Amino acid sequence: MLETEELRKVYKGTAAVDSVNLFLEKGESVGLLGPNGAGKSTTISMIASLIAPSAGDVRLNGKSVLKHPNEIRKVLGIVPQEIALYPELTAYENLKFFGRIYGLKGEALSRRVQEVLELLGLEDRQKDLVKTYSGGMKRRINIGAALLHEPEILIMDEPTVGIDPQSRSYILDTVRKLNEEKGMTVLYTSHYMEEVERLCDRVYIMDHGKVIASGTKDELKSILSGEEAILVEMDRDYPELVKELDADEAILQTIETDKGLKLIVPKGSRLLGKIFQAAERHGAQISNITVQVPTLEDVFLHLTGRKLRD
Amino acid sequence: MKSIYLHQWQRFRRAPMLVVSFFLLTVVFVFTLAGFQSDDKFTVLALVKEGSSDQAAEEWIDRLNESEGMFFDLREEEEVREMMRDGRRNFALAVGDSDYRMVVAAEDANLMRVESYTAQVFREEFRLMQAEEAGGENIREDIQSSLEDPVLTVTTETIEGAEGTFVYDNQIQTLFGMTLFFSIYTMIFSLMNVTEEKRTGTWDRLIVSPLKKSQMYIGHFLYCFTVGCAQIVVIFLLFKYGLGFDLGGNFPAILIVVGCYAFAIVALGTLLMGLVKSSQQLQAVIPIVATAMAMLGGAFWPIEIVTNNIVLFLSQGMPILYALDALKSIAIYGRGLADLAQPLSILIIFGVVCMGVGVNLMERRG
């Protein structure tokens, strides 16, 4: 349905997006995962025909979006990262305006606005000014403004940044409902791994402007299928202990975390005794130790050596 | 375009303070600087010239006060000098036994008018005195009765507006100058909605909609144009019908000039938006540009009294100069649209160039 071909964007000699190829099938929910500055927003801006690529193309049903930007604009709903609303207007007025620019009129427009408000759970607050809303409510209206014309493709650029867990959960449920019940194709960018794991069928992982891995969640996790992660929680940092574990050939990767260490080790390796002994040598107090199967976060760490929110 | 235009009015209804405040500022300024003078005579302070007699001075003052437009107020020299020192008066008239002198502390738009009138009165009086000496004592009464019951009446028409003719009307100057000046703020600040939309991301939302960019720009420009025109016209009507300001008999021509001026200012705002990088920068630039333009273009004082060649040269680049020129031509000299082709053409050309360059700069920046 939608695909990019060798998409590239260069700013002042630096490639913000470099040869990105991705595709979305109709009705799919696809995640675009990566840390800040990975090139996610630039990629979706090019897909949405907001900015022109330096090279490459975007195709919608085989047609070039570069040559025919109106083709995608008619079927696209975009939820920007920032709250792109008019705070001095009510939620109803905001939605009505965005509906009107998509050609909705009269009774059809009013009915559609009410449907969207109902979907977002904001019917009771529709007459309130947006500037009086909480962050979560603003985010919901921000999504609603992209839904009025019932788009076939919904692109969401980190739509849950800076909101409370309840609002986040409500938004994720809404996106899932749109995808599963309305058959909307969703491209969801985030640096929250759990959101992508919860919502998306397939995932593209981006870093430094490039797609470094892609596939279904299981396919990506299988990158680390022969490995497992050991989380070691300690009372403080022990650099000498890290150095010793890092030098151990049996440990594939040693990563310092907020609470202690994360060690990527071959599955089934019996290393717990070795870890306790090393900790004792360096006087480290281990408060907890957990062995877990790899998550997408671990896959990302494995691929980039960085945490998603670095 | 229509939805963008109507949307701007909806936003205006929710936040009208900006436009309302500039509207009120204009009314207050015009009313204070020109409104009170609608029925009063212009008062000129006078003093007795050193070494001259009080009686002779009083006689001259009585003669000068026969004017319908000015009142000469004879006061003690010390009092007059103190008022000039305090800045309450820019000039005064020192009257001697058979001559006068203008005492000037600062440039004043009325100075030339007062001096011209005084010189005329003195000249006439000397002629009468010469005639009295030559032809007898009754000549003054004969002239007076002849004036009251003339043998034939000669109607004189001046070729107003001819090169070098300058008629100063304080009310019209203040009304036109202040209204056009404050409308710059209203229009360009309203235009800042575009930069705000770009900052908040709503502009991008509109770009990915089926709307064309040209429709988005025109919707915004049309709103700023309308709000600017509305402010100017409402103020003109308020002072015309509320306070009896004489705007001449060709109000449709005034509307056309206002339209051309508003177009030029909206275009200037577009150019400024293209040149600056943020709405904060634009907020800082607007007062500088508006005030400089008003000072150079003759909004605060008539450009006709300016003699500095550099200022006169710079004024040629100010759209407010052409708008004021056209408006005064209609209100004071009674000219029609056919005579205003030049200033109106300049305003339109200025607008087209600024808008083209401004939109290009904004688009290039993305």
Side-chain angles (χ1 to χ4, degrees):
Chain A
M1 184 184 195
L2 183 70
E3 59 184 325
T4 69
E5 291 174 357
E6 297 294 319
L7 209 55
R8 182 176 162 83
K9 184 70 186 177
V10 180
Y11 290 114
K12 293 178 183 171
T14 307
V17 173
D18 196 2
S19 303
V20 166
N21 294 294
L22 53 85
F23 69 92
L24 277 86
E25 294 295 348
K26 191 170 170 58
E28 245 191 334
S29 178
V30 174
L32 191 54
L33 201 60
N36 290 328
K40 306 187 298 288
S41 296
T42 309
T43 302
I44 62 169
S45 292
M46 287 190 282
I47 292 173
S49 75
L50 253 177
I51 54 172
S54 307
D57 203 351
V58 179
R59 292 189 180 278
L60 175 71
N61 298 323
K63 265 189 176 175
S64 166
V65 167
L66 275 181
K67 289 177 188 160
H68 310 281
N70 278 337
E71 294 293 319
I72 197 163
R73 286 174 185 179
K74 279 187 272 184
V75 297
L76 179 73
I78 186 156
V79 181
Q81 201 174 118
E82 60 272 27
I83 308 283
L85 298 168
Y86 301 97
E88 70 274 27
L89 302 184
T90 65
Y92 180 82
E93 288 165 340
N94 266 284
L95 294 181
K96 205 157 185 182
F97 169 67
F98 286 113
R100 205 177 284 130
I101 62 170
Y102 278 93
L104 296 171
K105 284 177 190 166
E107 184 58 33
L109 173 61
S110 302
R111 193 175 53 245
R112 186 66 195 137
V113 169
Q114 288 307 326
E115 282 171 10
V116 169
L117 284 165
E118 202 177 312
L119 177 77
L120 301 169
L122 288 170
E123 313 101 291
D124 299 340
R125 298 288 307 271
Q126 61 177 291
K127 299 286 180 199
D128 293 346
L129 301 180
V130 167
K131 65 183 172 192
T132 65
Y133 278 18
S134 67
M137 288 161 75
K138 284 179 189 168
R139 286 266 166 213
R140 281 194 251 170
I141 292 293
N142 205 33
I143 294 170
L147 299 176
L148 286 148
H149 58 297
E150 299 184 80
E152 289 175 37
I153 305 166
L154 183 64
I155 296 182
M156 308 179 91
D157 189 4
E158 308 202 16
T160 59
V161 169
I163 57 171
D164 57 281
Q166 279 171 316
S167 292
R168 172 179 293 176
S169 183
Y170 194 98
I171 287 172
L172 295 179
D173 288 344
T174 307
V175 177
R176 173 169 279 177
K177 205 188 284 181
L178 288 167
N179 176 239
E180 289 177 357
E181 293 176 16
K182 309 267 180 187
M184 213 173 266
T185 308
V186 177
L187 178 60
Y188 192 96
T189 82
S190 179
H191 58 235
Y192 292 111
M193 190 67 65
E194 59 277 14
E195 290 183 0
V196 172
E197 286 213 66
R198 185 170 157 183
L199 285 177
C200 302
D201 310 318
R202 282 193 305 117
V203 181
Y204 287 90
I205 297 179
M206 282 189 80
D207 194 30
H208 297 304
K210 289 185 173 177
V211 172
I212 54 171
S214 64
T216 62
K217 284 179 279 187
D218 290 339
E219 281 169 352
L220 285 174
K221 284 177 189 172
S222 72
I223 294 173
L224 294 179
S225 60
E227 290 147 14
E228 59 191 10
I230 301 173
L231 305 178
V232 184
E233 290 181 27
M234 297 184 293
D235 57 335
R236 63 178 176 83
D237 293 342
Y238 293 94
E240 290 302 316
L241 172 63
V242 175
K243 204 185 276 179
E244 184 180 330
L245 294 174
D246 211 21
D248 194 321
E249 285 180 0
I251 297 168
L252 300 173
Q253 207 171 356
T254 308
I255 303 140
E256 287 183 83
T257 66
D258 299 338
K259 292 178 179 175
L261 295 172
K262 179 181 260 191
L263 309 172
I264 306 294
V265 298
K267 212 170 198 174
S269 54
R270 298 170 185 277
L271 289 169
L272 289 181
K274 198 185 258 187
I275 293 166
F276 278 116
Q277 282 166 12
E280 203 174 328
R281 273 199 298 281
H282 293 283
Q285 296 286 318
I286 294 176
S287 56
N288 189 23
I289 197 157
T290 313
V291 180
Q292 66 176 39
V293 289
T295 61
L296 282 179
E297 179 93 40
D298 298 325
V299 174
F300 188 83
L301 272 168
H302 174 75
L303 292 169
T304 66
R306 290 202 287 155
K307 286 208 297 188
L308 261 171
R309 278 162 236 174
D310 277 353
Chain B
M1 185 193 83
K2 190 179 159 196
S3 51
I4 300 284
Y5 177 72
L6 294 175
H7 178 62
Q8 297 311 311
W9 281 107
Q10 189 177 33
R11 295 179 72 190
F12 165 73
R13 281 204 298 278
R14 282 288 152 75
M17 274 318 290
L18 176 87
V19 177
V20 170
S21 58
F22 284 118
F23 177 86
L24 291 177
L25 267 176
T26 313
V27 172
V28 168
F29 268 78
V30 177
F31 193 74
T32 310
L33 296 174
F36 290 125
Q37 295 167 14
S38 56
D39 294 322
D40 295 341
K41 288 182 175 183
F42 175 67
T43 302
V44 181
L45 286 187
L47 53 104
V48 180
K49 200 175 156 193
E50 206 176 318
S52 304
S53 78
D54 288 1
Q55 195 191 341
E58 280 169 15
E59 282 173 11
W60 278 115
I61 293 297
D62 289 344
R63 177 73 179 82
L64 286 164
N65 276 335
E66 287 170 13
S67 155
E68 287 180 0
M70 293 181 210
F71 173 70
F72 289 81
D73 187 7
L74 189 62
R75 298 202 187 182
E76 290 297 321
E77 182 175 352
E78 193 49 43
E79 187 186 350
V80 172
R81 290 193 182 279
E82 193 181 329
M83 288 176 83
M84 290 175 71
R85 264 198 302 274
D86 295 347
R88 283 178 283 166
R89 283 289 190 279
N90 289 333
F91 67 91
L93 177 70
V95 187
D97 293 336
S98 58
D99 62 349
Y100 71 93
R101 189 163 55 87
M102 300 304 300
V103 184
V104 182
E107 282 294 326
D108 192 292
N110 293 302
L111 179 62
M112 204 162 71
R113 184 162 65 116
V114 173
E115 191 169 11
S116 161
Y117 170 70
T118 310
Q120 185 193 340
V121 169
F122 269 77
R123 236 181 354 255
E124 281 176 13
E125 193 57 30
F126 287 142
R127 279 196 200 130
L128 281 170
M129 284 158 73
Q130 281 174 345
E132 274 178 332
E133 280 172 18
E137 289 181 358
N138 295 331
I139 188 86
R140 195 178 287 268
E141 284 77 25
D142 293 345
I143 289 172
Q144 191 59 39
S145 64
S146 299
L147 281 172
E148 284 167 6
D149 184 20
V151 180
L152 69 141
T153 308
V154 178
T155 306
T156 308
E157 281 188 13
T158 58
I159 310 166
E160 285 177 324
E163 282 297 316
T165 308
F166 166 49
V167 180
Y168 177 72
D169 185 324
N170 184 45
Q171 283 188 337
I172 291 297
Q173 169 67 35
T174 309
L175 175 64
F176 289 162
M178 287 298 151
T179 308
L180 297 192
F181 169 61
F182 281 113
S183 70
I184 299 172
Y185 287 91
T186 305
M187 285 186 270
I188 304 186
F189 273 122
S190 299
L191 205 55
M192 269 177 53
N193 283 351
V194 176
T195 49
E196 270 308 289
E197 293 218 21
K198 287 186 175 181
R199 190 184 62 79
T200 58
T202 48
W203 188 259
D204 285 349
R205 264 209 146 121
L206 300 179
I207 289 175
V208 295
S209 77
L211 281 180
K212 289 179 186 157
K213 255 188 195 171
S214 57
Q215 292 175 309
M216 290 156 60
Y217 278 118
I218 292 170
H220 277 280
F221 294 159
L222 201 57
Y223 163 72
C224 299
F225 173 84
T226 318
V227 85
C229 284
Q231 177 174 321
I232 297 170
V233 171
V234 169
I235 288 169
F236 283 180
L237 290 174
L238 181 72
F239 281 89
K240 180 179 167 72
Y241 294 108
L243 288 161
F245 279 41
D246 182 11
L247 303 188
N250 195 353
F251 204 75
I254 287 183
L255 291 181
I256 291 170
V257 176
V258 169
C260 293
Y261 172 71
F263 169 66
I265 296 302
V266 171
L268 176 70
T270 311
L271 178 65
L272 292 178
M273 284 200 304
L275 291 171
V276 300
K277 285 179 181 164
S278 65
S279 49
Q280 286 83 1
Q281 281 184 351
L282 188 61
Q283 277 175 342
V285 164
I286 293 169
I288 297 168
V289 171
T291 312
M293 194 160 76
M295 290 172 86
L296 291 169
F300 296 154
W301 48 77
I303 196 73
E304 290 85 350
I305 66 165
V306 177
T307 52
N308 186 307
N309 285 333
I310 296 169
V311 174
L312 286 172
F313 174 74
L314 290 174
S315 72
Q316 302 298 308
M318 307 294 143
I320 201 167
L321 172 87
Y322 303 102
L324 282 169
D325 179 36
L327 288 172
K328 285 194 280 190
S329 293
I330 297 164
I332 298 174
Y333 304 112
R335 289 186 198 145
L337 270 181
D339 303 312
L340 306 177
Q342 190 191 6
L344 296 187
S345 307
I346 292 171
L347 284 174
I348 291 167
I349 292 167
F350 179 91
V352 170
V353 172
C354 285
M355 197 164 277
V357 176
V359 170
N360 261 299
L361 286 173
M362 280 197 281
E363 284 302 300
R364 200 169 292 180
R365 188 172 299 138

